[in-house]
Amino acid sequence: MTPIAVAVSGRGSNLQALIDAIAVGRLDAEIVLVASSRPDAPAIERAKQAKIPTGVFTVTKETRAASQSAMGHAIRNAGARLLVLAGYDRYLADAFWDALGEIPVINIHPSLLPAFAGLNNMKVHEAVIASGATETGVTVHRAHRGKLDEGEIVVQRRAPVLPGDTPESLAARVLAVEHQVIVEAVQHLLSSAV
Ligand code: GRF
């Protein structure tokens, strides 16, 4: 089982998909740390339920560098060989990357990148509908210092935009795809010896 860490800021449904896939043996990994940018993220409770160690590294403008540096060190000290950004909604400072070292990082984004990069959650789906696109999707990509929603694509999967979709109905369809894709992407990277 390869040790991995997951960084979160909110709901944690992608974290849950990883926890569930590990529980049923579909993903050969162990989550050694869930790191949150917010103390009140529901994702933390999901981690606790699954008996996964958690750390809160609150990010404000003033504390970003110190807090994210501590997060990077904690992830490294936990022995993680991969970091999954699963709804982590903060820009990652250089101090984070310095602390993390060579551990690879991936991010999940609810669009077919590079389309609709740089937007958060519901804003992505609003923009997709406003554009008149008939399909959208999910991208898991490598994340790198100084880049946002940019990096080598690990897995990408399409989802239809249906007539009458609202941002909410589209978000729900895309989220169901995310939960499959995040597991596939992590498994793919682990089996190619991250
Ligand atoms: C997901 O839509 C993910 O693609 C985006 O943030 C959302 C997080 O959802 N980066 P959850 O916290 O995993 O439920």
PDB file of all heavy atoms in Angstrom, residues 8-16 43 46 85-88 107-111 120-121 125 138-139 149 171 174-175 178-179, ligand 1:
ATOM      1  N   VAL A   8      -7.496  19.243   1.468  1.00  0.00           N
ATOM      2  CA  VAL A   8      -8.907  19.581   1.292  1.00  0.00           C
ATOM      3  C   VAL A   8      -9.194  20.980   1.845  1.00  0.00           C
ATOM      4  O   VAL A   8      -8.388  21.529   2.605  1.00  0.00           O
ATOM      5  CB  VAL A   8      -9.811  18.563   2.048  1.00  0.00           C
ATOM      6  CG1 VAL A   8      -9.657  17.160   1.479  1.00  0.00           C
ATOM      7  CG2 VAL A   8      -9.487  18.576   3.539  1.00  0.00           C
ATOM      8  N   SER A   9     -10.379  21.502   1.475  1.00  0.00           N
ATOM      9  CA  SER A   9     -10.837  22.757   2.068  1.00  0.00           C
ATOM     10  C   SER A   9     -12.310  22.712   2.438  1.00  0.00           C
ATOM     11  O   SER A   9     -12.800  23.622   3.108  1.00  0.00           O
ATOM     12  CB  SER A   9     -10.640  23.920   1.087  1.00  0.00           C
ATOM     13  OG  SER A   9      -9.292  24.092   0.765  1.00  0.00           O
ATOM     14  N   GLY A  10     -13.038  21.712   1.957  1.00  0.00           N
ATOM     15  CA  GLY A  10     -14.491  21.774   2.134  1.00  0.00           C
ATOM     16  C   GLY A  10     -15.167  20.443   2.366  1.00  0.00           C
ATOM     17  O   GLY A  10     -14.789  19.670   3.241  1.00  0.00           O
ATOM     18  N   ARG A  11     -16.137  20.180   1.514  1.00  0.00           N
ATOM     19  CA  ARG A  11     -17.045  19.032   1.638  1.00  0.00           C
ATOM     20  C   ARG A  11     -16.340  17.680   1.730  1.00  0.00           C
ATOM     21  O   ARG A  11     -16.741  16.811   2.510  1.00  0.00           O
ATOM     22  CB  ARG A  11     -17.948  19.098   0.398  1.00  0.00           C
ATOM     23  CG  ARG A  11     -18.982  18.049   0.240  1.00  0.00           C
ATOM     24  CD  ARG A  11     -19.782  18.351  -1.015  1.00  0.00           C
ATOM     25  NE  ARG A  11     -18.919  18.500  -2.185  1.00  0.00           N
ATOM     26  CZ  ARG A  11     -19.330  18.910  -3.379  1.00  0.00           C
ATOM     27  NH1 ARG A  11     -20.610  19.218  -3.567  1.00  0.00           N
ATOM     28  NH2 ARG A  11     -18.480  19.012  -4.382  1.00  0.00           N
ATOM     29  N   GLY A  12     -15.365  17.444   0.878  1.00  0.00           N
ATOM     30  CA  GLY A  12     -14.597  16.204   0.988  1.00  0.00           C
ATOM     31  C   GLY A  12     -15.210  14.987   0.323  1.00  0.00           C
ATOM     32  O   GLY A  12     -14.883  13.852   0.682  1.00  0.00           O
ATOM     33  N   SER A  13     -16.057  15.197  -0.681  1.00  0.00           N
ATOM     34  CA  SER A  13     -16.656  14.008  -1.317  1.00  0.00           C
ATOM     35  C   SER A  13     -15.628  13.250  -2.158  1.00  0.00           C
ATOM     36  O   SER A  13     -15.709  12.022  -2.281  1.00  0.00           O
ATOM     37  CB  SER A  13     -17.888  14.377  -2.147  1.00  0.00           C
ATOM     38  OG  SER A  13     -17.530  15.115  -3.285  1.00  0.00           O
ATOM     39  N   ASN A  14     -14.651  13.944  -2.715  1.00  0.00           N
ATOM     40  CA  ASN A  14     -13.581  13.235  -3.446  1.00  0.00           C
ATOM     41  C   ASN A  14     -12.674  12.480  -2.473  1.00  0.00           C
ATOM     42  O   ASN A  14     -12.239  11.368  -2.775  1.00  0.00           O
ATOM     43  CB  ASN A  14     -12.779  14.208  -4.307  1.00  0.00           C
ATOM     44  CG  ASN A  14     -13.503  14.529  -5.597  1.00  0.00           C
ATOM     45  OD1 ASN A  14     -13.612  13.686  -6.477  1.00  0.00           O
ATOM     46  ND2 ASN A  14     -14.042  15.741  -5.686  1.00  0.00           N
ATOM     47  N   LEU A  15     -12.415  13.081  -1.325  1.00  0.00           N
ATOM     48  CA  LEU A  15     -11.691  12.354  -0.268  1.00  0.00           C
ATOM     49  C   LEU A  15     -12.452  11.079   0.080  1.00  0.00           C
ATOM     50  O   LEU A  15     -11.866   9.994   0.198  1.00  0.00           O
ATOM     51  CB  LEU A  15     -11.556  13.240   0.977  1.00  0.00           C
ATOM     52  CG  LEU A  15     -11.101  12.517   2.243  1.00  0.00           C
ATOM     53  CD1 LEU A  15      -9.674  12.007   2.114  1.00  0.00           C
ATOM     54  CD2 LEU A  15     -11.236  13.434   3.466  1.00  0.00           C
ATOM     55  N   GLN A  16     -13.767  11.209   0.227  1.00  0.00           N
ATOM     56  CA  GLN A  16     -14.591  10.040   0.582  1.00  0.00           C
ATOM     57  C   GLN A  16     -14.492   8.949  -0.485  1.00  0.00           C
ATOM     58  O   GLN A  16     -14.449   7.753  -0.170  1.00  0.00           O
ATOM     59  CB  GLN A  16     -16.057  10.468   0.758  1.00  0.00           C
ATOM     60  CG  GLN A  16     -16.929   9.390   1.369  1.00  0.00           C
ATOM     61  CD  GLN A  16     -16.555   9.139   2.826  1.00  0.00           C
ATOM     62  OE1 GLN A  16     -16.511  10.067   3.632  1.00  0.00           O
ATOM     63  NE2 GLN A  16     -16.252   7.895   3.167  1.00  0.00           N
ATOM     64  N   ALA A  43     -14.770  17.763   5.392  1.00  0.00           N
ATOM     65  CA  ALA A  43     -13.824  16.698   5.003  1.00  0.00           C
ATOM     66  C   ALA A  43     -13.052  16.168   6.209  1.00  0.00           C
ATOM     67  O   ALA A  43     -12.704  14.982   6.254  1.00  0.00           O
ATOM     68  CB  ALA A  43     -12.848  17.245   3.957  1.00  0.00           C
ATOM     69  N   ARG A  46     -14.903  13.431   7.859  1.00  0.00           N
ATOM     70  CA  ARG A  46     -14.836  12.191   7.066  1.00  0.00           C
ATOM     71  C   ARG A  46     -13.528  11.454   7.366  1.00  0.00           C
ATOM     72  O   ARG A  46     -13.506  10.227   7.485  1.00  0.00           O
ATOM     73  CB  ARG A  46     -14.905  12.517   5.578  1.00  0.00           C
ATOM     74  CG  ARG A  46     -16.214  13.142   5.107  1.00  0.00           C
ATOM     75  CD  ARG A  46     -16.087  13.375   3.617  1.00  0.00           C
ATOM     76  NE  ARG A  46     -17.151  14.160   3.024  1.00  0.00           N
ATOM     77  CZ  ARG A  46     -18.230  13.656   2.434  1.00  0.00           C
ATOM     78  NH1 ARG A  46     -18.424  12.355   2.421  1.00  0.00           N
ATOM     79  NH2 ARG A  46     -19.124  14.447   1.865  1.00  0.00           N
ATOM     80  N   LEU A  85      -4.663  16.988  -4.319  1.00  0.00           N
ATOM     81  CA  LEU A  85      -5.446  18.181  -3.990  1.00  0.00           C
ATOM     82  C   LEU A  85      -6.885  17.852  -4.368  1.00  0.00           C
ATOM     83  O   LEU A  85      -7.219  17.751  -5.549  1.00  0.00           O
ATOM     84  CB  LEU A  85      -4.942  19.389  -4.773  1.00  0.00           C
ATOM     85  CG  LEU A  85      -3.456  19.747  -4.605  1.00  0.00           C
ATOM     86  CD1 LEU A  85      -3.084  20.911  -5.534  1.00  0.00           C
ATOM     87  CD2 LEU A  85      -3.136  20.107  -3.153  1.00  0.00           C
ATOM     88  N   ALA A  86      -7.722  17.658  -3.368  1.00  0.00           N
ATOM     89  CA  ALA A  86      -9.109  17.234  -3.614  1.00  0.00           C
ATOM     90  C   ALA A  86     -10.032  18.314  -3.060  1.00  0.00           C
ATOM     91  O   ALA A  86     -10.520  18.224  -1.930  1.00  0.00           O
ATOM     92  CB  ALA A  86      -9.384  15.875  -2.957  1.00  0.00           C
ATOM     93  N   GLY A  87     -10.203  19.379  -3.846  1.00  0.00           N
ATOM     94  CA  GLY A  87     -11.010  20.495  -3.367  1.00  0.00           C
ATOM     95  C   GLY A  87     -10.213  21.396  -2.443  1.00  0.00           C
ATOM     96  O   GLY A  87     -10.780  22.041  -1.556  1.00  0.00           O
ATOM     97  N   TYR A  88      -8.910  21.461  -2.630  1.00  0.00           N
ATOM     98  CA  TYR A  88      -8.066  22.405  -1.868  1.00  0.00           C
ATOM     99  C   TYR A  88      -8.131  23.731  -2.609  1.00  0.00           C
ATOM    100  O   TYR A  88      -7.727  23.812  -3.776  1.00  0.00           O
ATOM    101  CB  TYR A  88      -6.626  21.895  -1.777  1.00  0.00           C
ATOM    102  CG  TYR A  88      -5.751  22.777  -0.929  1.00  0.00           C
ATOM    103  CD1 TYR A  88      -5.768  22.661   0.460  1.00  0.00           C
ATOM    104  CD2 TYR A  88      -4.918  23.734  -1.496  1.00  0.00           C
ATOM    105  CE1 TYR A  88      -4.976  23.491   1.255  1.00  0.00           C
ATOM    106  CE2 TYR A  88      -4.121  24.559  -0.717  1.00  0.00           C
ATOM    107  CZ  TYR A  88      -4.156  24.430   0.663  1.00  0.00           C
ATOM    108  OH  TYR A  88      -3.381  25.246   1.450  1.00  0.00           O
ATOM    109  N   ASN A 107      -4.110  17.412  -8.946  1.00  0.00           N
ATOM    110  CA  ASN A 107      -5.300  18.200  -8.612  1.00  0.00           C
ATOM    111  C   ASN A 107      -6.467  17.710  -9.454  1.00  0.00           C
ATOM    112  O   ASN A 107      -6.281  17.279 -10.592  1.00  0.00           O
ATOM    113  CB  ASN A 107      -5.029  19.681  -8.933  1.00  0.00           C
ATOM    114  CG  ASN A 107      -6.222  20.561  -8.640  1.00  0.00           C
ATOM    115  OD1 ASN A 107      -6.812  20.499  -7.559  1.00  0.00           O
ATOM    116  ND2 ASN A 107      -6.605  21.399  -9.600  1.00  0.00           N
ATOM    117  N   ILE A 108      -7.671  17.781  -8.894  1.00  0.00           N
ATOM    118  CA  ILE A 108      -8.869  17.453  -9.680  1.00  0.00           C
ATOM    119  C   ILE A 108      -9.649  18.724  -9.942  1.00  0.00           C
ATOM    120  O   ILE A 108      -9.848  19.550  -9.038  1.00  0.00           O
ATOM    121  CB  ILE A 108      -9.733  16.371  -9.006  1.00  0.00           C
ATOM    122  CG1 ILE A 108     -10.905  15.985  -9.920  1.00  0.00           C
ATOM    123  CG2 ILE A 108     -10.206  16.775  -7.612  1.00  0.00           C
ATOM    124  CD1 ILE A 108     -11.520  14.638  -9.619  1.00  0.00           C
ATOM    125  N   HIS A 109     -10.067  18.896 -11.201  1.00  0.00           N
ATOM    126  CA  HIS A 109     -10.774  20.107 -11.608  1.00  0.00           C
ATOM    127  C   HIS A 109     -12.016  19.696 -12.396  1.00  0.00           C
ATOM    128  O   HIS A 109     -11.937  18.839 -13.276  1.00  0.00           O
ATOM    129  CB  HIS A 109      -9.856  20.975 -12.482  1.00  0.00           C
ATOM    130  CG  HIS A 109     -10.443  22.301 -12.819  1.00  0.00           C
ATOM    131  ND1 HIS A 109     -10.460  23.357 -11.924  1.00  0.00           N
ATOM    132  CD2 HIS A 109     -11.066  22.736 -13.928  1.00  0.00           C
ATOM    133  CE1 HIS A 109     -11.064  24.392 -12.486  1.00  0.00           C
ATOM    134  NE2 HIS A 109     -11.439  24.049 -13.698  1.00  0.00           N
ATOM    135  N   PRO A 110     -13.171  20.347 -12.124  1.00  0.00           N
ATOM    136  CA  PRO A 110     -14.412  19.909 -12.756  1.00  0.00           C
ATOM    137  C   PRO A 110     -14.665  20.514 -14.132  1.00  0.00           C
ATOM    138  O   PRO A 110     -15.742  21.062 -14.384  1.00  0.00           O
ATOM    139  CB  PRO A 110     -15.481  20.336 -11.736  1.00  0.00           C
ATOM    140  CG  PRO A 110     -14.911  21.559 -11.116  1.00  0.00           C
ATOM    141  CD  PRO A 110     -13.415  21.376 -11.103  1.00  0.00           C
ATOM    142  N   SER A 111     -13.684  20.404 -15.023  1.00  0.00           N
ATOM    143  CA  SER A 111     -13.894  20.793 -16.426  1.00  0.00           C
ATOM    144  C   SER A 111     -12.879  20.051 -17.271  1.00  0.00           C
ATOM    145  O   SER A 111     -11.962  19.412 -16.733  1.00  0.00           O
ATOM    146  CB  SER A 111     -13.735  22.304 -16.635  1.00  0.00           C
ATOM    147  OG  SER A 111     -12.368  22.662 -16.642  1.00  0.00           O
ATOM    148  N   ASN A 120     -13.621  28.474  -9.767  1.00  0.00           N
ATOM    149  CA  ASN A 120     -13.883  27.562  -8.661  1.00  0.00           C
ATOM    150  C   ASN A 120     -15.239  26.912  -8.789  1.00  0.00           C
ATOM    151  O   ASN A 120     -16.214  27.551  -9.170  1.00  0.00           O
ATOM    152  CB  ASN A 120     -13.859  28.337  -7.335  1.00  0.00           C
ATOM    153  CG  ASN A 120     -12.513  28.196  -6.659  1.00  0.00           C
ATOM    154  OD1 ASN A 120     -11.758  27.281  -6.996  1.00  0.00           O
ATOM    155  ND2 ASN A 120     -12.223  29.090  -5.736  1.00  0.00           N
ATOM    156  N   ASN A 121     -15.299  25.648  -8.457  1.00  0.00           N
ATOM    157  CA  ASN A 121     -16.530  24.870  -8.337  1.00  0.00           C
ATOM    158  C   ASN A 121     -17.717  25.354  -9.162  1.00  0.00           C
ATOM    159  O   ASN A 121     -17.756  25.197 -10.372  1.00  0.00           O
ATOM    160  CB  ASN A 121     -16.918  24.755  -6.856  1.00  0.00           C
ATOM    161  CG  ASN A 121     -15.792  24.089  -6.092  1.00  0.00           C
ATOM    162  OD1 ASN A 121     -15.004  23.342  -6.679  1.00  0.00           O
ATOM    163  ND2 ASN A 121     -15.690  24.369  -4.820  1.00  0.00           N
ATOM    164  N   HIS A 125     -19.262  25.508 -13.594  1.00  0.00           N
ATOM    165  CA  HIS A 125     -20.475  24.980 -14.226  1.00  0.00           C
ATOM    166  C   HIS A 125     -21.351  26.103 -14.780  1.00  0.00           C
ATOM    167  O   HIS A 125     -21.959  25.948 -15.833  1.00  0.00           O
ATOM    168  CB  HIS A 125     -21.233  24.091 -13.223  1.00  0.00           C
ATOM    169  CG  HIS A 125     -20.356  23.014 -12.661  1.00  0.00           C
ATOM    170  ND1 HIS A 125     -19.757  22.071 -13.454  1.00  0.00           N
ATOM    171  CD2 HIS A 125     -19.920  22.780 -11.399  1.00  0.00           C
ATOM    172  CE1 HIS A 125     -18.999  21.277 -12.707  1.00  0.00           C
ATOM    173  NE2 HIS A 125     -19.091  21.690 -11.458  1.00  0.00           N
ATOM    174  N   VAL A 138     -14.158  16.230 -16.514  1.00  0.00           N
ATOM    175  CA  VAL A 138     -13.303  16.235 -15.323  1.00  0.00           C
ATOM    176  C   VAL A 138     -11.859  16.048 -15.777  1.00  0.00           C
ATOM    177  O   VAL A 138     -11.603  15.265 -16.688  1.00  0.00           O
ATOM    178  CB  VAL A 138     -13.687  15.047 -14.406  1.00  0.00           C
ATOM    179  CG1 VAL A 138     -12.720  14.930 -13.239  1.00  0.00           C
ATOM    180  CG2 VAL A 138     -15.119  15.179 -13.916  1.00  0.00           C
ATOM    181  N   THR A 139     -10.961  16.751 -15.110  1.00  0.00           N
ATOM    182  CA  THR A 139      -9.535  16.577 -15.393  1.00  0.00           C
ATOM    183  C   THR A 139      -8.779  16.355 -14.088  1.00  0.00           C
ATOM    184  O   THR A 139      -8.961  17.105 -13.134  1.00  0.00           O
ATOM    185  CB  THR A 139      -8.949  17.833 -16.080  1.00  0.00           C
ATOM    186  OG1 THR A 139      -9.715  18.132 -17.247  1.00  0.00           O
ATOM    187  CG2 THR A 139      -7.491  17.618 -16.464  1.00  0.00           C
ATOM    188  N   ASP A 149      -4.437  25.197 -12.127  1.00  0.00           N
ATOM    189  CA  ASP A 149      -5.224  24.402 -13.088  1.00  0.00           C
ATOM    190  C   ASP A 149      -4.448  24.136 -14.381  1.00  0.00           C
ATOM    191  O   ASP A 149      -4.991  24.197 -15.488  1.00  0.00           O
ATOM    192  CB  ASP A 149      -6.555  25.110 -13.414  1.00  0.00           C
ATOM    193  CG  ASP A 149      -7.442  25.229 -12.194  1.00  0.00           C
ATOM    194  OD1 ASP A 149      -7.282  24.429 -11.258  1.00  0.00           O
ATOM    195  OD2 ASP A 149      -8.300  26.129 -12.170  1.00  0.00           O
ATOM    196  N   ALA A 171     -23.379  20.211 -11.984  1.00  0.00           N
ATOM    197  CA  ALA A 171     -22.361  19.928 -10.952  1.00  0.00           C
ATOM    198  C   ALA A 171     -22.532  18.520 -10.400  1.00  0.00           C
ATOM    199  O   ALA A 171     -21.545  17.802 -10.175  1.00  0.00           O
ATOM    200  CB  ALA A 171     -22.467  20.951  -9.820  1.00  0.00           C
ATOM    201  N   VAL A 174     -21.262  15.987 -12.966  1.00  0.00           N
ATOM    202  CA  VAL A 174     -19.795  16.023 -13.074  1.00  0.00           C
ATOM    203  C   VAL A 174     -19.152  15.446 -11.800  1.00  0.00           C
ATOM    204  O   VAL A 174     -18.160  14.717 -11.870  1.00  0.00           O
ATOM    205  CB  VAL A 174     -19.314  17.463 -13.345  1.00  0.00           C
ATOM    206  CG1 VAL A 174     -17.805  17.583 -13.210  1.00  0.00           C
ATOM    207  CG2 VAL A 174     -19.761  17.913 -14.736  1.00  0.00           C
ATOM    208  N   LEU A 175     -19.753  15.737 -10.656  1.00  0.00           N
ATOM    209  CA  LEU A 175     -19.173  15.246  -9.398  1.00  0.00           C
ATOM    210  C   LEU A 175     -19.155  13.714  -9.358  1.00  0.00           C
ATOM    211  O   LEU A 175     -18.186  13.107  -8.878  1.00  0.00           O
ATOM    212  CB  LEU A 175     -19.950  15.805  -8.199  1.00  0.00           C
ATOM    213  CG  LEU A 175     -19.302  15.583  -6.829  1.00  0.00           C
ATOM    214  CD1 LEU A 175     -17.948  16.302  -6.715  1.00  0.00           C
ATOM    215  CD2 LEU A 175     -20.237  16.044  -5.711  1.00  0.00           C
ATOM    216  N   GLU A 178     -16.244  12.736 -11.192  1.00  0.00           N
ATOM    217  CA  GLU A 178     -15.028  13.017 -10.419  1.00  0.00           C
ATOM    218  C   GLU A 178     -14.688  11.862  -9.485  1.00  0.00           C
ATOM    219  O   GLU A 178     -13.523  11.479  -9.336  1.00  0.00           O
ATOM    220  CB  GLU A 178     -15.212  14.281  -9.560  1.00  0.00           C
ATOM    221  CG  GLU A 178     -15.239  15.563 -10.338  1.00  0.00           C
ATOM    222  CD  GLU A 178     -15.196  16.781  -9.410  1.00  0.00           C
ATOM    223  OE1 GLU A 178     -14.390  16.807  -8.464  1.00  0.00           O
ATOM    224  OE2 GLU A 178     -15.991  17.712  -9.629  1.00  0.00           O
ATOM    225  N   HIS A 179     -15.722  11.318  -8.851  1.00  0.00           N
ATOM    226  CA  HIS A 179     -15.490  10.289  -7.837  1.00  0.00           C
ATOM    227  C   HIS A 179     -14.889   9.018  -8.443  1.00  0.00           C
ATOM    228  O   HIS A 179     -14.179   8.288  -7.757  1.00  0.00           O
ATOM    229  CB  HIS A 179     -16.791   9.983  -7.081  1.00  0.00           C
ATOM    230  CG  HIS A 179     -17.283  11.161  -6.308  1.00  0.00           C
ATOM    231  ND1 HIS A 179     -18.587  11.306  -5.881  1.00  0.00           N
ATOM    232  CD2 HIS A 179     -16.629  12.291  -5.896  1.00  0.00           C
ATOM    233  CE1 HIS A 179     -18.711  12.460  -5.235  1.00  0.00           C
ATOM    234  NE2 HIS A 179     -17.536  13.069  -5.233  1.00  0.00           N
TER     235      HIS A 179
HETATM  236  C1  GRF B   1     -14.621  19.318  -6.754  1.00  0.00           C
HETATM  237  O1  GRF B   1     -15.573  19.706  -7.702  1.00  0.00           O
HETATM  238  C2  GRF B   1     -13.225  19.445  -7.309  1.00  0.00           C
HETATM  239  O2  GRF B   1     -13.134  19.155  -8.671  1.00  0.00           O
HETATM  240  C3  GRF B   1     -12.931  20.901  -7.079  1.00  0.00           C
HETATM  241  O3  GRF B   1     -13.492  21.168  -5.814  1.00  0.00           O
HETATM  242  C4  GRF B   1     -14.592  20.290  -5.578  1.00  0.00           C
HETATM  243  C5  GRF B   1     -14.348  19.604  -4.274  1.00  0.00           C
HETATM  244  O4  GRF B   1     -15.435  18.803  -3.886  1.00  0.00           O
HETATM  245  N1  GRF B   1     -11.520  21.160  -7.152  1.00  0.00           N
HETATM  246  P1  GRF B   1     -15.298  17.849  -2.615  1.00  0.00           P
HETATM  247  O5  GRF B   1     -14.794  18.699  -1.457  1.00  0.00           O
HETATM  248  O6  GRF B   1     -14.310  16.767  -2.961  1.00  0.00           O
HETATM  249  O7  GRF B   1     -16.655  17.309  -2.357  1.00  0.00           O
END
